[in-house]
Amino acid sequence: MKLGILLNAFYTSIPNPHVRGRPLDPADPNLNLADQLTVAQEIGIKNVEIQAPLQHATPKQIQALKQALDAADVRAGSVHAPFPVYDEGAMDDISSPDEAVRDAAVATIAAAIDLVAPLQPDALVLHPCGARMGDGLQLDQDETRLQARTEACVESLVRLSEHSQAQAISLALENTLPGDLEQPDDLITIVDRVARPNVGLCLDTGHAMIAGVDPGETVHRMGSRLRHIHAHDNHGVVDEHLFPFLGDVPWRSLFDALHAVAFEGIFMLEVASINAAANRDQLAQLREMGSFME
Ligand SMILES: [Zn+2]
Protein backbone atom coordinates (compact mmCIF):
# COMPACT_ATOMS: atom_id res chain seq x y z
CA MET A 1 0.00 0.00 0.00
CA LYS A 2 1.19 3.51 -0.84
CA LEU A 3 0.37 6.88 0.72
CA GLY A 4 -0.96 9.78 -1.33
CA ILE A 5 -2.84 13.08 -1.14
CA LEU A 6 -5.57 14.46 -3.33
CA LEU A 7 -4.89 17.78 -5.04
CA ASN A 8 -7.34 20.29 -6.42
CA ALA A 9 -5.55 21.05 -9.65
CA PHE A 10 -5.81 24.17 -11.82
CA TYR A 11 -9.17 25.34 -10.56
CA THR A 12 -8.00 28.92 -10.64
CA SER A 13 -7.80 28.88 -14.42
CA ILE A 14 -11.30 27.49 -14.87
CA PRO A 15 -14.20 29.95 -15.14
CA ASN A 16 -16.46 28.12 -12.71
CA PRO A 17 -17.97 29.87 -9.69
CA HIS A 18 -18.14 26.84 -7.44
CA VAL A 19 -15.75 24.07 -6.54
CA ARG A 20 -16.99 21.41 -4.14
CA GLY A 21 -19.77 23.79 -3.19
CA ARG A 22 -17.54 26.63 -2.03
CA PRO A 23 -16.72 29.89 -3.78
CA LEU A 24 -13.61 29.83 -5.94
CA ASP A 25 -10.94 31.92 -4.26
CA PRO A 26 -7.54 32.13 -5.97
CA ALA A 27 -6.01 33.11 -2.61
CA ASP A 28 -7.20 29.88 -0.99
CA PRO A 29 -4.05 27.81 -0.44
CA ASN A 30 -6.11 24.64 -0.91
CA LEU A 31 -6.64 25.62 -4.51
CA ASN A 32 -3.07 26.61 -5.34
CA LEU A 33 -1.31 23.75 -7.11
CA ALA A 34 2.24 24.96 -6.42
CA ASP A 35 1.52 25.29 -2.69
CA GLN A 36 -0.09 21.88 -2.57
CA LEU A 37 2.91 20.29 -4.28
CA THR A 38 5.21 21.97 -1.77
CA VAL A 39 3.18 20.39 1.05
CA ALA A 40 3.41 16.98 -0.66
CA GLN A 41 7.20 17.35 -0.84
CA GLU A 42 7.44 18.53 2.79
CA ILE A 43 5.68 15.44 4.05
CA GLY A 44 7.43 13.09 1.65
CA ILE A 45 4.40 12.00 -0.36
CA LYS A 46 5.06 10.59 -3.84
CA ASN A 47 1.53 9.89 -5.10
CA VAL A 48 -1.23 12.40 -5.74
CA GLU A 49 -4.77 12.29 -7.05
CA ILE A 50 -5.79 14.95 -9.51
CA GLN A 51 -9.23 16.35 -8.89
CA ALA A 52 -10.08 18.92 -11.52
CA PRO A 53 -13.00 19.96 -13.71
CA LEU A 54 -11.63 17.86 -16.58
CA GLN A 55 -14.63 18.48 -18.81
CA HIS A 56 -13.28 22.03 -19.19
CA ALA A 57 -9.56 21.19 -19.32
CA THR A 58 -7.29 21.17 -22.35
CA PRO A 59 -4.37 18.89 -23.40
CA LYS A 60 -2.10 21.90 -22.92
CA GLN A 61 -3.19 22.23 -19.27
CA ILE A 62 -2.58 18.53 -18.72
CA GLN A 63 0.94 18.89 -20.17
CA ALA A 64 1.64 21.81 -17.84
CA LEU A 65 0.31 19.79 -14.93
CA LYS A 66 2.54 16.85 -15.86
CA GLN A 67 5.56 19.14 -15.92
CA ALA A 68 4.67 20.53 -12.48
CA LEU A 69 4.27 17.01 -11.05
CA ASP A 70 7.56 15.84 -12.59
CA ALA A 71 9.38 18.87 -11.20
CA ALA A 72 8.00 18.10 -7.73
CA ASP A 73 8.95 14.42 -8.12
CA VAL A 74 5.40 13.16 -7.55
CA ARG A 75 3.19 11.08 -9.83
CA ALA A 76 -0.53 11.13 -10.53
CA GLY A 77 -1.46 7.77 -9.04
CA SER A 78 -5.12 8.50 -9.68
CA VAL A 79 -7.46 11.01 -11.26
CA HIS A 80 -11.00 11.88 -10.22
CA ALA A 81 -13.57 11.76 -13.03
CA PRO A 82 -15.84 14.79 -13.55
CA PHE A 83 -18.96 14.83 -11.41
CA PRO A 84 -21.98 17.10 -11.50
CA VAL A 85 -21.17 19.41 -8.60
CA TYR A 86 -18.63 21.17 -10.82
CA ASP A 87 -21.17 22.15 -13.37
CA GLU A 88 -24.79 22.82 -12.48
CA GLY A 89 -27.08 20.90 -14.79
CA ALA A 90 -24.23 18.86 -16.26
CA MET A 91 -25.32 15.60 -17.85
CA ASP A 92 -22.78 13.36 -16.23
CA ASP A 93 -24.71 10.78 -14.23
CA ILE A 94 -23.63 7.31 -15.39
CA SER A 95 -26.56 5.54 -13.71
CA SER A 96 -29.29 7.90 -14.86
CA PRO A 97 -32.39 6.01 -16.03
CA ASP A 98 -32.51 8.57 -18.86
CA GLU A 99 -30.49 7.12 -21.75
CA ALA A 100 -29.52 10.50 -23.18
CA VAL A 101 -28.11 11.63 -19.83
CA ARG A 102 -26.25 8.35 -19.47
CA ASP A 103 -24.76 8.56 -22.97
CA ALA A 104 -23.57 12.09 -22.27
CA ALA A 105 -22.04 10.96 -18.97
CA VAL A 106 -20.16 8.10 -20.62
CA ALA A 107 -18.92 10.46 -23.35
CA THR A 108 -17.75 13.04 -20.76
CA ILE A 109 -15.84 10.46 -18.74
CA ALA A 110 -14.41 8.73 -21.82
CA ALA A 111 -13.08 12.10 -23.00
CA ALA A 112 -11.57 12.68 -19.53
CA ILE A 113 -9.82 9.28 -19.71
CA ASP A 114 -8.23 10.20 -23.05
CA LEU A 115 -7.28 13.65 -21.77
CA VAL A 116 -5.43 12.36 -18.67
CA ALA A 117 -3.78 9.39 -20.40
CA PRO A 118 -0.40 11.25 -20.64
CA LEU A 119 -0.34 11.37 -16.80
CA GLN A 120 -0.44 7.53 -16.76
CA PRO A 121 -2.57 7.20 -13.62
CA ASP A 122 -3.27 3.72 -12.25
CA ALA A 123 -6.91 4.51 -11.56
CA LEU A 124 -9.75 6.81 -12.48
CA VAL A 125 -12.16 7.30 -9.56
CA LEU A 126 -15.79 7.80 -10.52
CA HIS A 127 -19.13 8.19 -8.79
CA PRO A 128 -22.00 5.79 -9.49
CA CYS A 129 -24.55 8.60 -9.64
CA GLY A 130 -24.99 12.34 -9.56
CA ALA A 131 -24.15 13.67 -6.10
CA ARG A 132 -27.21 15.02 -4.35
CA MET A 133 -25.55 18.09 -3.00
CA GLY A 134 -28.73 20.15 -3.04
CA ASP A 135 -31.45 17.96 -1.66
CA GLY A 136 -29.99 16.73 1.58
CA LEU A 137 -28.85 13.36 2.73
CA GLN A 138 -31.97 11.36 1.96
CA LEU A 139 -31.64 7.65 1.38
CA ASP A 140 -33.45 6.36 -1.64
CA GLN A 141 -35.57 3.45 -0.46
CA ASP A 142 -37.36 2.85 -3.73
CA GLU A 143 -36.32 -0.65 -4.85
CA THR A 144 -37.51 -0.27 -8.45
CA ARG A 145 -35.56 2.93 -8.83
CA LEU A 146 -32.44 1.40 -7.31
CA GLN A 147 -32.78 -1.56 -9.65
CA ALA A 148 -33.02 0.71 -12.69
CA ARG A 149 -29.96 2.65 -11.55
CA THR A 150 -28.01 -0.55 -10.94
CA GLU A 151 -28.74 -1.81 -14.46
CA ALA A 152 -27.82 1.55 -15.96
CA CYS A 153 -24.59 1.77 -13.97
CA VAL A 154 -23.49 -1.72 -15.06
CA GLU A 155 -24.12 -0.85 -18.70
CA SER A 156 -22.16 2.42 -18.48
CA LEU A 157 -19.22 0.78 -16.71
CA VAL A 158 -18.95 -1.97 -19.33
CA ARG A 159 -18.67 0.72 -21.99
CA LEU A 160 -16.15 2.74 -20.00
CA SER A 161 -14.06 -0.31 -19.10
CA GLU A 162 -13.48 -0.98 -22.80
CA HIS A 163 -12.45 2.61 -23.31
CA SER A 164 -10.12 2.76 -20.27
CA GLN A 165 -8.53 -0.58 -21.09
CA ALA A 166 -7.03 0.98 -24.22
CA GLN A 167 -5.33 3.59 -21.99
CA ALA A 168 -4.29 1.02 -19.32
CA ILE A 169 -6.29 2.83 -16.65
CA SER A 170 -8.46 1.01 -14.09
CA LEU A 171 -11.83 2.32 -12.98
CA ALA A 172 -12.59 2.61 -9.26
CA LEU A 173 -16.25 3.15 -8.38
CA GLU A 174 -16.55 5.24 -5.20
CA ASN A 175 -19.17 5.01 -2.43
CA THR A 176 -20.60 8.52 -2.24
CA LEU A 177 -22.69 10.47 0.23
CA PRO A 178 -26.20 9.09 0.87
CA GLY A 179 -28.35 9.38 -2.21
CA ASP A 180 -28.84 6.70 -4.84
CA LEU A 181 -26.38 3.79 -4.81
CA GLU A 182 -24.34 5.06 -1.89
CA GLN A 183 -24.13 1.76 -0.01
CA PRO A 184 -20.86 -0.15 -0.57
CA ASP A 185 -22.86 -3.38 -0.95
CA ASP A 186 -24.75 -1.83 -3.91
CA LEU A 187 -21.40 -1.10 -5.54
CA ILE A 188 -20.08 -4.62 -4.90
CA THR A 189 -23.13 -5.95 -6.76
CA ILE A 190 -22.46 -3.60 -9.67
CA VAL A 191 -18.76 -4.44 -9.97
CA ASP A 192 -19.51 -8.17 -9.87
CA ARG A 193 -22.08 -7.72 -12.62
CA VAL A 194 -19.59 -5.75 -14.75
CA ALA A 195 -17.00 -8.50 -14.17
CA ARG A 196 -14.07 -6.79 -15.89
CA PRO A 197 -10.58 -6.97 -14.41
CA ASN A 198 -10.05 -3.22 -14.83
CA VAL A 199 -13.20 -2.24 -12.88
CA GLY A 200 -12.99 -2.21 -9.08
CA LEU A 201 -13.94 -0.11 -6.07
CA CYS A 202 -12.78 2.96 -4.18
CA LEU A 203 -13.71 2.97 -0.50
CA ASP A 204 -14.29 6.48 0.83
CA THR A 205 -13.91 6.15 4.61
CA GLY A 206 -15.80 9.34 5.48
CA HIS A 207 -18.72 8.58 3.19
CA ALA A 208 -18.95 5.07 4.68
CA MET A 209 -19.30 6.58 8.17
CA ILE A 210 -22.12 8.87 7.02
CA ALA A 211 -23.84 5.94 5.26
CA GLY A 212 -23.67 4.08 8.59
CA VAL A 213 -21.29 1.29 7.58
CA ASP A 214 -18.03 0.30 9.23
CA PRO A 215 -15.05 0.99 6.91
CA GLY A 216 -12.99 -2.01 8.13
CA GLU A 217 -15.85 -4.49 7.69
CA THR A 218 -16.49 -2.98 4.26
CA VAL A 219 -12.86 -3.60 3.25
CA HIS A 220 -13.28 -7.27 4.14
CA ARG A 221 -16.43 -7.48 2.00
CA MET A 222 -14.84 -5.65 -0.93
CA GLY A 223 -11.72 -7.87 -0.79
CA SER A 224 -9.78 -7.94 -4.07
CA ARG A 225 -12.34 -5.62 -5.70
CA LEU A 226 -10.84 -2.79 -3.63
CA ARG A 227 -8.42 -0.75 -5.77
CA HIS A 228 -8.26 2.62 -4.06
CA ILE A 229 -8.94 4.42 -0.75
CA HIS A 230 -10.20 7.94 -0.16
CA ALA A 231 -9.13 8.50 3.45
CA HIS A 232 -10.66 11.17 5.64
CA ASP A 233 -12.36 11.41 9.01
CA ASN A 234 -15.62 12.76 10.42
CA HIS A 235 -18.08 12.26 13.28
CA GLY A 236 -20.63 10.28 11.27
CA VAL A 237 -22.92 13.19 10.37
CA VAL A 238 -21.24 15.87 8.27
CA ASP A 239 -18.71 15.22 5.45
CA GLU A 240 -15.98 17.10 7.30
CA HIS A 241 -12.96 15.71 5.39
CA LEU A 242 -10.85 15.82 8.56
CA PHE A 243 -7.34 14.42 8.78
CA PRO A 244 -7.33 10.78 10.03
CA PHE A 245 -7.54 10.43 13.85
CA LEU A 246 -9.48 13.69 14.23
CA GLY A 247 -12.93 12.04 14.00
CA ASP A 248 -14.62 8.70 14.71
CA VAL A 249 -13.30 6.43 11.91
CA PRO A 250 -11.87 3.28 13.58
CA TRP A 251 -8.48 3.52 11.83
CA ARG A 252 -6.81 0.59 13.60
CA SER A 253 -9.45 -1.91 12.47
CA LEU A 254 -9.47 -0.35 9.00
CA PHE A 255 -5.71 -0.88 8.63
CA ASP A 256 -6.00 -4.42 10.02
CA ALA A 257 -8.56 -5.10 7.27
CA LEU A 258 -6.37 -3.49 4.56
CA HIS A 259 -3.42 -5.66 5.60
CA ALA A 260 -5.67 -8.74 5.75
CA VAL A 261 -6.88 -8.29 2.15
CA ALA A 262 -3.30 -7.41 1.04
CA PHE A 263 -4.43 -4.05 -0.35
CA GLU A 264 -1.81 -2.80 -2.83
CA GLY A 265 -3.38 0.42 -4.05
CA ILE A 266 -3.03 3.99 -2.81
CA PHE A 267 -4.30 5.20 0.57
CA MET A 268 -5.21 8.64 -0.74
CA LEU A 269 -5.74 11.36 1.87
CA GLU A 270 -8.77 13.39 0.81
CA VAL A 271 -8.57 16.00 3.54
CA ALA A 272 -9.78 19.60 3.55
CA SER A 273 -6.39 20.77 4.79
CA ILE A 274 -2.98 19.33 5.55
CA ASN A 275 -0.05 20.88 7.32
CA ALA A 276 3.35 19.25 7.80
CA ALA A 277 3.79 20.75 11.27
CA ALA A 278 0.22 20.64 12.60
CA ASN A 279 -0.43 17.09 11.37
CA ARG A 280 3.00 15.69 12.33
CA ASP A 281 1.70 13.36 15.06
CA GLN A 282 -1.19 12.04 12.93
CA LEU A 283 1.15 11.48 9.99
CA ALA A 284 3.54 9.49 12.17
CA GLN A 285 0.65 7.40 13.51
CA LEU A 286 -0.61 6.85 9.97
CA ARG A 287 2.80 5.71 8.70
CA GLU A 288 3.18 3.35 11.65
CA MET A 289 -0.23 1.73 11.06
CA GLY A 290 0.01 1.66 7.28
CA SER A 291 3.69 0.64 6.87
CA PHE A 292 3.49 2.20 3.41
CA MET A 293 5.92 1.17 0.68
CA GLU A 294 6.29 4.82 -0.34
ZN1 LIG B 1 -13.96 10.58 -1.91
Side-chain angles (χ1 to χ4, degrees):
M1 162 169 41
K2 300 169 190 169
L3 182 63
I5 54 171
L6 186 142
L7 308 179
N8 291 318
F10 54 71
Y11 286 125
T12 49
S13 60
I14 304 294
N16 191 319
H18 291 87
V19 176
R20 293 181 68 93
R22 64 186 173 182
L24 184 63
D25 177 4
D28 182 345
N30 288 313
L31 300 178
N32 183 309
L33 180 62
D35 288 351
Q36 291 179 73
L37 288 172
T38 301
V39 173
Q41 285 178 301
E42 275 172 10
I43 58 181
I45 280 181
K46 295 285 179 200
N47 302 282
V48 297
E49 178 163 325
I50 304 302
Q51 183 164 343
L54 294 172
Q55 63 272 51
H56 304 297
T58 63
K60 207 172 157 191
Q61 283 178 315
I62 296 295
Q63 275 311 326
L65 177 63
K66 184 165 169 32
Q67 282 171 8
L69 297 181
D70 288 348
D73 195 25
V74 299
R75 67 177 288 266
S78 53
V79 172
H80 204 302
F83 58 97
V85 67
Y86 293 136
D87 203 350
E88 291 302 325
M91 293 171 74
D92 45 8
D93 181 349
I94 62 166
S95 67
S96 171
D98 182 329
E99 196 178 342
V101 172
R102 209 159 65 233
D103 282 349
V106 168
T108 299
I109 295 175
I113 289 169
D114 292 342
L115 185 71
V116 302
L119 300 175
Q120 296 181 286
D122 301 332
L124 181 94
V125 179
L126 72 173
H127 291 182
C129 55
R132 289 194 175 181
M133 306 301 279
D135 49 334
L137 304 178
Q138 282 248 310
L139 287 170
D140 193 327
Q141 307 285 9
D142 184 329
E143 276 300 318
T144 313
R145 193 178 146 96
L146 276 184
Q147 194 59 36
R149 277 206 171 264
T150 299
E151 298 298 327
C153 195
V154 168
E155 189 212 82
S156 294
L157 286 173
V158 167
R159 290 165 67 189
L160 285 169
S161 80
E162 277 158 21
H163 197 90
S164 62
Q165 197 174 6
Q167 304 285 12
I169 299 173
S170 287
L171 301 178
L173 193 64
E174 175 181 358
N175 60 304
T176 57
L177 288 171
D180 294 333
L181 298 179
E182 87 291 348
Q183 289 291 331
D185 285 347
D186 295 336
L187 307 192
I188 288 173
T189 302
I190 290 168
V191 164
D192 285 352
R193 290 269 312 279
V194 173
R196 301 283 170 114
N198 70 336
V199 179
L201 294 166
C202 166
L203 171 65
D204 185 301
T205 60
H207 297 167
M209 293 292 282
I210 292 172
V213 296
D214 180 82
E217 284 171 20
T218 305
V219 166
H220 283 294
R221 285 207 300 286
M222 289 180 168
S224 63
R225 304 175 190 89
L226 183 63
R227 306 294 162 78
H228 196 67
I229 298 282
H230 273 177
H232 55 103
D233 218 332
N234 63 49
H235 297 86
V237 183
V238 177
D239 196 23
E240 296 166 272
H241 284 266
L242 299 173
F243 202 91
F245 310 111
L246 299 179
D248 295 338
V249 170
W251 294 101
R252 175 65 74 184
S253 65
L254 172 64
F255 275 112
D256 287 347
L258 289 171
H259 292 308
V261 303
F263 175 68
E264 287 184 343
I266 304 175
F267 184 94
M268 194 64 78
L269 294 166
E270 195 184 26
V271 292
S273 71
I274 186 166
N275 182 298
N279 297 122
R280 192 177 51 221
D281 291 351
Q282 290 105 28
L283 271 164
Q285 206 176 344
L286 205 58
R287 286 206 157 96
E288 184 258 311
M289 280 190 196
S291 38
F292 301 105
M293 284 165 50
E294 59 183 47

